[in-house]
Amino acid sequence: MDNSAQIETDLRAEGVRVTRQRLAILHVLRMASDHPRAEDILTRAKVQDPSVSQATVYRTLAMLEKAGTVLKNEFDGAGARYELAGGAHHDHLIDLDTGEVIEFHSQKIERLQAEIAAELGYDIEWHRLELYGRRPKAR
Ligand SMILES: [Zn+2]
């Protein structure tokens, strides 16, 4: 079973009605690697299924977030950006000039965070790390 079929099964198990519109939105999320905004998801989902409306996108995203299927990232206060949950853990670097979101994973940072938490008497349940930057201008 591929990831989307698994998601569909999980949603049905939670009593979520899996409609054609919702499937179109899930498909868009599965294909996306750019952490799209709701508007982008709407545009792309309409290609799959022209009956998808803005209200459906917002309602579905809220529902999928609640079900833990989708992660909502509020990177810079410039609107939420979405990705499917359940992938390998990663952190984000946001390019302030282009809005591009770059995923990265650093064993060093993961270890360091665990060490800091341990020194403070905690086990980390989860974390979110965002770096905001610009490429230096060529000179
Ligand atoms: Zn990501």
Side-chain angles (χ1 to χ4, degrees):
M1 199 157 30
D2 78 355
N3 191 26
S4 57
Q6 183 60 56
I7 290 170
E8 211 182 312
T9 306
D10 292 348
L11 288 174
R12 285 191 210 280
E14 287 189 47
V16 172
R17 222 159 41 86
V18 182
T19 61
R20 217 171 38 152
Q21 290 88 345
R22 286 174 174 177
L23 283 179
I25 292 166
L26 272 174
H27 178 77
V28 166
L29 285 163
R30 202 163 58 84
M31 299 312 287
S33 57
D34 60 343
H35 305 75
R37 298 171 198 282
E39 309 89 87
D40 306 319
I41 295 168
L42 174 62
T43 308
R44 295 174 203 175
K46 269 183 174 304
V47 177
Q48 302 280 315
D49 182 342
S51 74
V52 175
S53 69
Q54 191 185 48
T56 309
V57 169
Y58 281 102
R59 258 189 277 117
T60 302
L61 287 173
M63 184 271 292
L64 292 173
E65 191 198 351
K66 215 168 135 216
T69 306
V70 158
L71 293 176
K72 181 181 185 179
N73 298 292
E74 304 269 7
F75 288 132
D76 48 5
R81 299 178 63 161
Y82 296 88
E83 67 186 311
L84 278 186
H89 168 70
H90 59 265
D91 295 309
H92 295 116
L93 185 154
I94 297 93
D95 185 312
L96 287 168
D97 292 321
T98 64
E100 188 189 351
V101 177
I102 296 133
E103 298 186 339
F104 68 92
H105 182 266
S106 161
Q107 223 32 269
K108 236 189 250 176
I109 289 177
E110 299 295 321
R111 244 194 333 264
L112 186 57
Q113 289 177 139
E115 270 172 42
I116 292 168
E119 280 165 23
L120 296 170
Y122 285 85
D123 291 328
I124 297 180
E125 292 284 328
W126 61 274
H127 76 267
R128 191 185 281 256
L129 175 66
E130 290 159 16
L131 307 179
Y132 295 85
R134 294 196 159 92
R135 288 188 191 277
K137 301 259 183 298
R139 58 191 116 179

PDB file of all heavy atoms in Angstrom, residues 35 73 83 90 92 101 103, ligand 1:
ATOM      1  N   HIS A  35       6.150  22.886   0.537  1.00  0.00           N
ATOM      2  CA  HIS A  35       5.407  23.424   1.674  1.00  0.00           C
ATOM      3  C   HIS A  35       4.406  24.487   1.206  1.00  0.00           C
ATOM      4  O   HIS A  35       4.519  25.660   1.554  1.00  0.00           O
ATOM      5  CB  HIS A  35       6.355  24.007   2.728  1.00  0.00           C
ATOM      6  CG  HIS A  35       7.399  23.025   3.181  1.00  0.00           C
ATOM      7  ND1 HIS A  35       8.473  22.704   2.409  1.00  0.00           N
ATOM      8  CD2 HIS A  35       7.511  22.306   4.313  1.00  0.00           C
ATOM      9  CE1 HIS A  35       9.214  21.811   3.055  1.00  0.00           C
ATOM     10  NE2 HIS A  35       8.665  21.548   4.217  1.00  0.00           N
ATOM     11  N   ASN A  73       2.801  24.744   9.209  1.00  0.00           N
ATOM     12  CA  ASN A  73       3.967  25.535   9.608  1.00  0.00           C
ATOM     13  C   ASN A  73       3.629  27.016   9.506  1.00  0.00           C
ATOM     14  O   ASN A  73       3.158  27.473   8.480  1.00  0.00           O
ATOM     15  CB  ASN A  73       5.150  25.252   8.666  1.00  0.00           C
ATOM     16  CG  ASN A  73       5.597  23.804   8.719  1.00  0.00           C
ATOM     17  OD1 ASN A  73       6.123  23.350   9.730  1.00  0.00           O
ATOM     18  ND2 ASN A  73       5.380  23.073   7.642  1.00  0.00           N
ATOM     19  N   GLU A  83       2.515  20.608   4.957  1.00  0.00           N
ATOM     20  CA  GLU A  83       3.180  19.425   4.449  1.00  0.00           C
ATOM     21  C   GLU A  83       2.563  18.205   5.121  1.00  0.00           C
ATOM     22  O   GLU A  83       1.953  18.317   6.183  1.00  0.00           O
ATOM     23  CB  GLU A  83       4.692  19.486   4.708  1.00  0.00           C
ATOM     24  CG  GLU A  83       5.064  19.414   6.186  1.00  0.00           C
ATOM     25  CD  GLU A  83       6.556  19.636   6.414  1.00  0.00           C
ATOM     26  OE1 GLU A  83       7.350  18.992   5.728  1.00  0.00           O
ATOM     27  OE2 GLU A  83       6.898  20.457   7.283  1.00  0.00           O
ATOM     28  N   HIS A  90      12.587  16.504  10.073  1.00  0.00           N
ATOM     29  CA  HIS A  90      13.503  17.465   9.479  1.00  0.00           C
ATOM     30  C   HIS A  90      13.197  18.851  10.024  1.00  0.00           C
ATOM     31  O   HIS A  90      12.144  19.096  10.600  1.00  0.00           O
ATOM     32  CB  HIS A  90      13.395  17.461   7.952  1.00  0.00           C
ATOM     33  CG  HIS A  90      12.022  17.793   7.450  1.00  0.00           C
ATOM     34  ND1 HIS A  90      11.095  16.835   7.125  1.00  0.00           N
ATOM     35  CD2 HIS A  90      11.408  18.980   7.244  1.00  0.00           C
ATOM     36  CE1 HIS A  90       9.981  17.409   6.736  1.00  0.00           C
ATOM     37  NE2 HIS A  90      10.127  18.736   6.800  1.00  0.00           N
ATOM     38  N   HIS A  92      13.682  23.266   9.138  1.00  0.00           N
ATOM     39  CA  HIS A  92      13.472  24.114   7.973  1.00  0.00           C
ATOM     40  C   HIS A  92      14.377  25.341   7.965  1.00  0.00           C
ATOM     41  O   HIS A  92      14.591  25.953   9.003  1.00  0.00           O
ATOM     42  CB  HIS A  92      12.014  24.585   7.929  1.00  0.00           C
ATOM     43  CG  HIS A  92      11.036  23.479   7.735  1.00  0.00           C
ATOM     44  ND1 HIS A  92      10.100  23.127   8.670  1.00  0.00           N
ATOM     45  CD2 HIS A  92      10.853  22.630   6.690  1.00  0.00           C
ATOM     46  CE1 HIS A  92       9.384  22.109   8.219  1.00  0.00           C
ATOM     47  NE2 HIS A  92       9.810  21.788   7.018  1.00  0.00           N
ATOM     48  N   VAL A 101      11.484  27.168   1.030  1.00  0.00           N
ATOM     49  CA  VAL A 101      11.697  26.436   2.276  1.00  0.00           C
ATOM     50  C   VAL A 101      12.612  25.254   1.995  1.00  0.00           C
ATOM     51  O   VAL A 101      12.313  24.423   1.143  1.00  0.00           O
ATOM     52  CB  VAL A 101      10.372  25.931   2.860  1.00  0.00           C
ATOM     53  CG1 VAL A 101      10.612  25.116   4.120  1.00  0.00           C
ATOM     54  CG2 VAL A 101       9.443  27.112   3.151  1.00  0.00           C
ATOM     55  N   GLU A 103      14.568  21.952   3.467  1.00  0.00           N
ATOM     56  CA  GLU A 103      14.545  21.010   4.588  1.00  0.00           C
ATOM     57  C   GLU A 103      15.962  20.545   4.878  1.00  0.00           C
ATOM     58  O   GLU A 103      16.753  20.344   3.965  1.00  0.00           O
ATOM     59  CB  GLU A 103      13.671  19.806   4.229  1.00  0.00           C
ATOM     60  CG  GLU A 103      12.238  20.202   3.974  1.00  0.00           C
ATOM     61  CD  GLU A 103      11.325  18.994   3.764  1.00  0.00           C
ATOM     62  OE1 GLU A 103      11.844  17.916   3.437  1.00  0.00           O
ATOM     63  OE2 GLU A 103      10.109  19.172   3.937  1.00  0.00           O
TER      64      GLU A 103
HETATM   65 ZN    ZN B   1       9.213  20.233   5.794  1.00  0.00          ZN
END
